[in-house]
Amino acid sequence: MIKNIISKSLGFIGYTIQYGCIAHCAFEYIGELVVCSGPSMEPTIQNHDVVFSERLSCHLYCIEKGDIVIAKNPSDPKMNICKRVIGLEGDKVCTSSSSDIFKTHTYVPKGHIWLEGDNIKNSTDSRSYGPVPYALIRGRVCFKVWPFHNAGTFGKSPNERVPRNV
Amino acid sequence: MLQGHLPACGCLTAAILALGSYQPFFNASSQELMRPSLNPEGRQASDIVLLNRWSVRNYQVQRGDVVSLISPKDPQQKIIKRVIALEGDIVKTRGYKNRHVKIPGGHFWIEGDHYGHSFDSNNFGPVSLGLLHARATHIIWPPQRWQKIYPTLPKGHRLLPSANDSSMDEDNE
């Protein structure tokens, strides 16, 4: 009787470990659901929206300009940020705000990307902490899952900040 | 039929995750950069070191640790360097655009042991802690170089003592 219970428990633990490992690999290499908080991506992503971010683009190095990405915060690696990619390495990005008279530009260094939130007036992004190393990117946000009435894929940035390809 | 394969997949992923906590690291291109602690002069083959990924899961490192991180200039490459300074420290740089740098929050300063031949923070500045990959704990190959790697700041390091140092207070009195 005891032997039966022990063997059943071991079997259960074995299955839990196996499925746990598969789930971990799925979250690590395929995608995950993320709850976003903060106003920096309004109106595209509101506070408490749930989005699905996929990891494949990040592992295959095919993140493009205009994509919304989840990345580790460069100032605090335990926190994540959700911003839009405005420039890739080698691109020229505008660092001054739209109210400045004289525009300043900078080039994104090799191995880095330039991130900005859609809510230009209320977003801490590359305009404060500079270009972000590519390796800090965790995933590319592909579609919104919650709330249902707003669910679907994302369009272009509402601002004219993403430079057109020359 | 799938049921038969699932336990095998599960065991394989469990093994990969378990080994992922400790990984051997071999990088031929960085041979020059950490001499003489790794790859001492005159050797044909590179050292192989053991990396502990579990110990850096909370991004806790000390000054003097040898760590592996993803290169800020090339996300497909990993580099091994020594941690010289953590956030809040002030470093006297060699060849960087500023003479003194205060490390910002969430960043750290790394240098290769071989001054002059190293591509490190003196080139690209303080590095974000998010790029940290693992800590090098032992040299495991070749067998005559089997040793534990201890966190020591190299002689001639240029980390300035912080304002909280007791030695500084004694000077002021």
Side-chain angles (χ1 to χ4, degrees):
Chain A
M1 166 85 170
I2 301 283
K3 255 176 115 174
N4 206 6
I5 294 176
I6 291 177
S7 69
K8 278 207 160 72
S9 316
L10 284 177
F12 175 72
I13 292 171
Y15 271 116
T16 313
I17 293 175
Q18 285 169 12
Y19 288 110
C21 290
I22 292 172
H24 170 87
C25 287
F27 289 137
E28 182 69 25
Y29 295 105
I30 301 175
E32 56 185 354
L33 289 171
V34 181
V35 180
C36 300
S37 61
S40 62
M41 282 298 289
E42 286 175 2
T44 318
I45 302 178
Q46 315 275 357
N47 200 6
H48 301 312
D49 279 359
V50 179
V51 298
F52 180 76
S53 83
E54 53 96 358
R55 303 284 218 137
L56 288 175
S57 315
C58 157
H59 285 294
L60 297 174
Y61 303 100
C62 47
I63 299 281
E64 288 165 19
K65 242 186 304 213
D67 282 345
I68 303 176
V69 295
I70 310 271
K72 289 191 220 172
N73 188 341
S75 313
D76 181 4
K78 296 184 191 174
M79 302 286 291
N80 295 324
I81 54 173
C82 176
K83 306 284 174 208
R84 198 179 285 266
V85 176
I86 300 297
L88 300 171
E89 65 183 22
D91 288 345
K92 189 175 175 187
V93 288
C94 181
T95 50
S96 57
S97 63
S98 44
S99 56
D100 287 349
I101 300 171
F102 296 107
K103 304 275 176 210
T104 52
H105 293 92
T106 183
Y107 287 94
V108 181
K110 187 168 181 304
H112 290 66
I113 51 168
W114 189 268
L115 299 177
E116 283 183 16
D118 283 353
N119 191 356
I120 289 277
K121 294 183 176 34
N122 195 0
S123 166
T124 325
D125 46 37
S126 285
R127 290 169 299 160
S128 4
Y129 44 67
V132 175
Y134 186 96
L136 289 182
I137 300 181
R138 287 179 54 116
R140 184 180 69 95
V141 173
C142 16
F143 54 84
K144 194 187 296 195
V145 170
W146 180 271
F148 287 136
H149 59 86
N150 256 345
T153 51
F154 297 100
K156 288 203 197 335
S157 168
N159 313 312
E160 278 299 311
R161 299 289 288 187
V162 182
R164 284 178 290 274
N165 287 325
V166 189
Chain B
M1 199 175 72
L2 187 60
Q3 275 295 351
H5 289 294
L6 267 178
C9 294
C11 289
L12 186 60
T13 44
I16 292 173
L17 287 174
L19 287 177
S21 178
Y22 275 89
Q23 282 176 354
F25 181 92
F26 172 73
N27 187 338
S29 65
S30 65
Q31 278 183 51
E32 279 291 329
L33 311 176
M34 287 293 287
R35 286 192 181 159
S37 3
L38 302 180
N39 301 329
E41 203 108 33
R43 284 208 44 88
Q44 293 300 100
S46 301
D47 283 354
I48 296 185
V49 299
L50 194 64
L51 297 177
N52 185 345
R53 303 203 51 201
W54 180 255
S55 60
V56 298
R57 66 194 186 283
N58 287 327
Y59 306 102
Q60 303 275 346
V61 279
Q62 332 169 20
R63 297 176 189 86
D65 271 345
V66 175
V67 294
S68 81
L69 59 147
I70 303 175
S71 168
K73 289 296 182 189
D74 181 3
Q76 294 177 314
Q77 196 190 28
K78 294 202 174 60
I79 55 179
I80 285 196
K81 301 286 172 216
R82 199 178 286 273
V83 176
I84 301 295
L86 300 175
E87 63 183 356
D89 293 342
I90 301 177
V91 182
K92 209 167 169 190
T93 65
R94 296 171 169 148
Y96 187 57
K97 53 185 178 178
N98 302 329
R99 199 86 175 95
H100 293 91
V101 171
K102 181 159 188 207
I103 313 295
H107 285 66
F108 63 131
W109 187 269
I110 51 167
E111 282 180 12
D113 285 350
H114 194 188
Y115 165 53
H117 283 83
S118 189
F119 183 60
D120 53 22
S121 282
N122 287 308
N123 299 91
F124 42 72
V127 179
S128 175
L129 272 171
L131 294 178
L132 194 57
H133 175 247
R135 176 188 291 122
T137 48
H138 296 82
I139 299 178
I140 57 175
W141 190 267
Q144 59 263 36
R145 298 231 334 123
W146 235 98
Q147 59 188 275
K148 188 160 152 52
I149 301 177
Y150 290 97
T152 46
L153 283 174
K155 289 193 182 51
H157 72 87
R158 291 145 75 87
L159 171 65
L160 296 178
S162 66
N164 295 334
D165 256 4
S166 52
S167 55
M168 289 270 285
D169 288 342
E170 282 164 17
D171 288 341
N172 287 338
E173 277 177 32

